[in-house]
Amino acid sequence: MCAPILIQQATSPETITIGVADTSGKIFPRLNSGESVRFVQLNGTPSADSPIDNDSIDGYLVITSDIITKESAERVDLILNATSNIQFEKELAEQINDAIETERLLEYNINDLSAILDNVKSDVSVNIMRFDSDDHGSMPTEISAVIGIVMSMLLYFFLLLYGIQVMQSIVEEKSSRVLEIIVSSVKPTQLLTGKIIGIGLVAVTQILIWAVCLLILSMVVMPTILPADMMTDVHAMQTGAQLADTADIELVTAIATITKPTFIMQMFFWLIIFLIGGFLLYSSLFAAVGSAVDNIQDASQLQTIIIVPIIIAMFASMSVANAPNSTLVSWMSMIPFTSPMVMMARLPFGIPVWQTALSAVILYASISGAIWCAAKIYRVGIFMYGKKPDIREIIRWISYK
């Protein structure tokens, strides 16, 4: 979670100092320095052919006296001694265009133009009220998308991390011939089921620890670090009371939702449900692959078939924000191989409960079939040595009595 922030800070562009030669005298006063660019005024106009010999300036911006007229306002010359960056170029173009537009409006000699423009400006926010939601407000789409992607990423890493761990442990036990001793005391199906359940409980325990920490953060820490007036609005939103006129509705709605214990418990409840279901499904497949090979190298080739649906589900989860109720996304949230991650990405958008429940029922119904097939392969594969089976041979193992 911290790595992307640290990388962004480490790769953030440095501030570029630009000397502005404005012969019109109208643009430079309207340029504002920021994090990516700092403007200083120059006397005279530098030549495009002359090098920049000032160590404190990274470039020259040449603005002609007729920049306000439409015919000549197609471009301005910027002379740099090094490469620039996208953020700087975008900010510079926006500021120059805003300055030109303002000067053109002033040429119409409209009385009280500034007051008129201030009165014309609008900053209306849309407060979404859902008739199919019990909440007094709905969470902003951006917050819903972030929560959905975070939960999908958690499932993505858990399914891969613990699923591959099941496969690796079986390969190690098989290569050391430990399995031959263990299966003399228990049935192969019992051994496989115990291994899957044991590792699965580790994942569930970790999720429960995170849930408790998040509840403490939302119920104890957040009220102490947020301003008092903000917490007043948050409590008003949670209880359905009237908000203050100056309240930022979107921000208050987001904080009120993510600090609500019932919301956190609901999200983690479904996260555990789909984590257990997805883990049982995929760990069975990983276990079948692990029992069919003798070493990790051979397993890496076969596990690609299992990993591809997980990757597809991850890409689908990232596109849920564009259309959480589209036909493709709805179907992918029902297909067992993609439903855990796609459904978790849809949950923050307030989809009907029956869809979530149906997706969980289909997922758990398919687990019994996956474990049965994996047990068939496991029973034969743990005694196969010195041969790398292909997919067709592994499928034939399922039909062995």
Side-chain angles (χ1 to χ4, degrees):
M1 293 172 65
C2 297
I5 300 176
L6 296 176
I7 293 174
Q8 184 179 5
Q9 291 178 349
T11 57
S12 59
E14 298 180 354
T15 303
I16 298 177
T17 303
I18 299 297
V20 182
D22 182 13
T23 55
S24 70
K26 297 180 179 180
I27 302 301
F28 177 78
R30 299 188 180 277
L31 297 178
N32 298 317
S33 300
E35 295 182 358
S36 61
V37 59
R38 185 174 68 91
F39 298 103
V40 295
Q41 191 171 16
L42 297 178
N43 296 322
T45 303
S47 174
D49 298 330
S50 60
I52 301 174
D53 55 0
N54 191 334
D55 295 335
S56 62
I57 294 177
D58 299 309
Y60 297 139
L61 179 65
V62 181
I63 300 176
T64 58
S65 58
D66 55 352
I67 188 68
I68 307 301
T69 62
K70 293 184 178 180
E71 292 76 9
S72 62
E74 295 181 356
R75 67 179 186 181
V76 294
D77 294 328
L78 176 63
I79 308 166
L80 290 175
N81 62 354
T83 58
S84 62
N85 58 76
I86 295 177
Q87 181 180 354
F88 159 72
E89 295 175 0
K90 181 179 179 181
E91 182 177 343
L92 179 61
E94 288 179 351
Q95 290 206 44
I96 293 175
N97 285 321
D98 290 342
I100 293 174
E101 291 172 3
T102 302
E103 290 297 329
R104 286 177 179 174
L105 287 173
L106 292 174
E107 288 184 351
Y108 286 94
N109 295 322
I110 302 175
N111 295 330
D112 298 329
L113 177 61
S114 299
I116 294 174
L117 292 177
D118 291 337
N119 292 329
V120 169
K121 288 181 180 179
S122 175
D123 188 19
V124 175
S125 60
V126 179
N127 183 28
I128 303 174
M129 305 297 293
R130 290 172 51 118
F131 290 104
D132 58 344
S133 176
D134 296 332
D135 297 332
H136 298 285
S138 292
M139 192 162 43
T141 303
E142 295 81 2
I143 303 298
S144 300
V146 171
I147 294 176
I149 291 177
V150 168
M151 291 194 297
S152 297
M153 291 293 293
L154 285 176
L155 280 177
Y156 174 81
F157 287 115
F158 270 94
L159 293 181
L160 286 181
L161 176 64
Y162 290 103
I164 293 177
Q165 184 176 339
V166 171
M167 181 188 68
Q168 290 177 343
S169 64
I170 293 177
V171 173
E172 293 174 359
E173 292 171 356
K174 182 180 177 180
S175 61
S176 63
R177 302 298 177 95
V178 174
L179 282 178
E180 296 181 3
I181 301 175
I182 298 178
V183 295
S184 63
S185 303
V186 297
K187 295 180 180 180
T189 303
Q190 295 175 337
L191 179 61
L192 174 63
T193 304
K195 184 179 294 294
I196 292 175
I197 293 176
I199 297 178
L201 289 176
V202 176
V204 173
T205 302
Q206 189 169 352
I207 289 292
L208 290 176
I209 293 174
W210 290 353
V212 172
C213 293
L214 192 58
L215 282 173
I216 295 175
L217 177 65
S218 64
M219 299 176 63
V220 179
V221 179
M222 290 289 287
T224 59
I225 62 177
L226 290 176
D229 55 346
M230 175 65 71
M231 288 305 305
T232 302
D233 294 331
V234 168
H235 288 308
M237 174 66 72
Q238 293 176 342
T239 58
Q242 183 68 31
L243 296 179
D245 295 335
T246 58
D248 187 337
I249 297 179
E250 289 189 357
L251 180 59
V252 171
T253 304
I255 296 176
T257 304
I258 62 178
T259 57
K260 187 186 300 183
T262 54
F263 174 79
I264 297 175
M265 289 187 290
Q266 179 186 5
M267 290 295 104
F268 273 96
F269 169 78
W270 288 114
L271 181 62
I272 292 175
I273 293 295
F274 283 102
L275 171 64
I276 295 175
F279 173 77
L280 292 176
L281 177 66
Y282 277 101
S283 61
S284 301
L285 303 179
F286 279 114
V289 170
S291 63
V293 298
D294 295 336
N295 51 69
I296 297 296
Q297 290 75 17
D298 294 338
S300 301
Q301 298 176 4
L302 290 176
Q303 74 180 11
T304 304
I305 303 175
I306 306 173
I307 294 176
V308 166
I310 301 179
I311 296 176
I312 293 175
M314 190 66 246
F315 283 119
S317 300
M318 293 181 178
S319 63
V320 165
N322 297 327
N325 294 314
S326 65
T327 303
L328 178 61
V329 169
S330 298
W331 277 106
M332 292 189 70
S333 63
M334 298 297 169
I335 299 174
F337 293 102
T338 57
S339 62
M341 284 177 286
V342 178
M343 183 55 73
M344 290 308 302
R346 295 182 64 200
L347 268 177
F349 291 92
I351 63 173
V353 178
W354 69 266
Q355 292 189 16
T356 310
L358 178 60
S359 176
V361 170
I362 296 174
L363 174 62
Y364 278 83
S366 63
I367 291 173
S368 57
I371 294 179
W372 181 82
C373 294
K376 288 280 190 177
I377 298 172
Y378 183 81
R379 184 186 60 179
V380 178
I382 58 176
F383 298 108
M384 299 289 291
Y385 294 96
K387 181 182 179 182
K388 178 183 176 182
D390 55 17
I391 299 298
R392 290 177 296 180
E393 186 175 358
I394 293 177
I395 295 176
R396 283 200 302 268
W397 293 354
I398 300 177
S399 61
Y400 288 173
K401 294 182 179 180

